Amino acid sequence: MTKPLKLPAFEDVLAAAERQRGVVRETPVLSHPALDELAGAELLIKAECLQVTGSFKIRGAMNRLAQVPPEGKVAGVVAFSSGNHAQGVARAARLLGMPALIVMPADAPQVKVDGVIADGGEVYLYDRNTEDREEICARLAAERGAVIVPSYDDFDIIAGQGTAGLEFARQAEAMGKPLDHLISPAGGGGLINGVALAFGQLSPATKIWAAEPEAHDDWARSLEAGEILANAPGTRSICDAILTPKPGYLTFALGQRQLAGGLRVSDAEVREAMRMAFRYLRVVGEPGGCAALAAALKGVPEGMKGKPIGVILSGGNVDAALYAGIIGGAA
């Protein structure tokens, strides 16, 4: 008999918030009339690009690493990531006095590699087209006796990311604008499903939507099919931070009962969203981090028009040369 999956609940998100206290920053909710006009709705934008390490990932990393027992801290942790989870793990490990080894693709943005190294993390580069990052991670962890810290398909990671939802729901309520809908970037699904756990308790009427690249739409297709569907090997997008192969087992089990569906965006629409975030909000958004904003700015579906819609801008770690080209109008 298959053992039932142990899934996090709202109480686990509350516990994560306590473990993060003093480390994680409460990020602001931003808005601008010009963006509302483009979307055809009132957008409330949660700027996780202004979070510690430049993305929401410190939330889950801190919650997971804070629970490593004292005897496990000496060998430290191993994680695999294209960058944002890597930086979150490296920062949490440094704050908790633990070594961290991060397995990163050789084509990861240099700004993310540099961020790991700046926090004292060790980087192991691999070829994402010919090598299996999970196999590499398992081998290195076994050699060191280290703890593996998954980037999304983990009970404590999901609960930790959910604290962004705790903040957002409370901020929207305090503004007198409870959200009808919320759009979040979705890669493996740790952020969106953690956020959905919080909204399910604090704002249960809010419908939660995944935003992802149109050529890498595993969440939209999986939710439509009712089963986990992977992306075709080799599919690419500018949105490096959310190019996971498929939804996780834990995250999809949550997503099936929490998410309203998926919204697809093109790379051109993501670039435009990055420009709009810079122009009107004065914030730096990385491509994957701007997927939800792109989904809103292309014009929301008819049922969302005129409603308060939450948007999570999940990260701002982007190479300077790439960003300058996009802001300057590069296609």
Side-chain angles (χ1 to χ4, degrees):
M1 182 179 293
T2 303
K3 186 178 179 181
L5 291 174
K6 183 185 178 186
L7 300 174
F10 178 69
E11 292 72 20
D12 301 301
V13 180
L14 293 177
E18 290 302 313
R19 295 186 189 101
Q20 297 168 359
R21 194 174 299 279
V23 174
V24 168
R25 176 181 300 155
E26 180 173 319
T27 54
V29 174
L30 309 176
S31 62
H32 197 285
L35 301 182
D36 295 348
E37 185 174 352
L38 287 168
E42 184 176 10
L43 301 185
L44 302 180
I45 301 162
K46 177 76 165 158
E48 283 291 288
C49 54
L50 300 178
Q51 184 54 262
V52 175
T53 74
S55 90
F56 70 94
K57 289 288 192 175
I58 185 66
R59 296 178 181 273
M62 196 66 196
N63 188 48
R64 180 68 180 83
L65 269 62
Q67 297 180 77
V68 174
E71 62 271 19
K73 284 185 164 61
V74 176
V77 295
V78 176
F80 56 83
S81 166
S82 65
N84 286 332
H85 177 61
Q87 291 175 265
V89 169
R91 176 64 59 87
R94 180 172 68 80
L95 293 173
L96 293 167
M98 304 165 64
L101 171 61
I102 314 297
V103 178
M104 303 182 71
D107 60 353
Q110 190 60 43
V111 66
K112 297 182 180 182
V113 176
D114 292 344
V116 171
I117 294 171
D119 266 318
E122 183 183 351
V123 174
Y124 181 105
L125 297 176
Y126 75 99
D127 184 333
R128 72 163 86 216
N129 295 314
T130 61
E131 296 181 283
D132 186 315
R133 64 183 187 175
E134 295 189 38
E135 288 180 3
I136 295 170
C137 194
R139 173 174 57 80
L140 294 173
E143 290 173 357
R144 295 175 172 230
V147 174
I148 295 176
V149 183
S151 58
Y152 55 87
D153 211 26
D154 178 90
F155 185 103
D156 295 311
I157 293 291
I158 298 167
Q161 316 302 25
T163 62
L166 279 182
E167 290 178 12
F168 203 176
R170 290 167 176 167
Q171 288 167 316
E173 185 66 31
M175 296 167 71
K177 297 177 180 179
L179 303 176
D180 280 52
H181 300 270
L182 183 149
I183 310 172
S184 171
L191 172 64
I192 191 171
N193 283 292
V195 165
L197 285 173
F199 270 82
Q201 182 71 31
L202 300 179
S203 183
T206 304
K207 292 183 174 63
I208 313 292
W209 300 84
E212 56 192 341
E214 59 187 8
H216 213 271
D217 59 345
D218 47 300
W219 271 102
R221 289 184 295 107
S222 296
L223 291 170
E224 290 162 5
E227 62 178 327
I228 295 175
L229 299 176
N231 293 296
T235 54
R236 288 287 175 265
S237 164
I238 192 175
C239 300
D240 65 278
I242 55 175
L243 298 186
T244 46
K246 59 185 178 181
Y249 292 105
L250 298 182
T251 54
F252 187 68
L254 288 167
Q256 277 192 294
R257 67 191 195 200
Q258 296 188 133
L259 306 185
L263 304 174
R264 301 164 172 94
V265 294
S266 68
D267 281 0
E269 289 162 345
V270 168
R271 292 185 182 96
E272 182 62 14
M274 293 171 67
R275 288 189 278 266
M276 294 299 98
F278 172 77
R279 179 177 178 182
Y280 293 115
L281 303 179
R282 298 295 189 261
V283 297
V284 174
E286 66 184 278
C290 284
L293 182 60
L297 295 183
K298 69 187 292 185
V300 299
E302 195 61 39
M304 298 188 192
K305 291 192 181 300
K307 306 287 181 64
I309 297 177
V311 171
I312 297 182
L313 204 170
S314 61
N317 293 312
V318 56
D319 276 336
L322 173 64
Y323 187 70
I326 290 172
I327 297 305

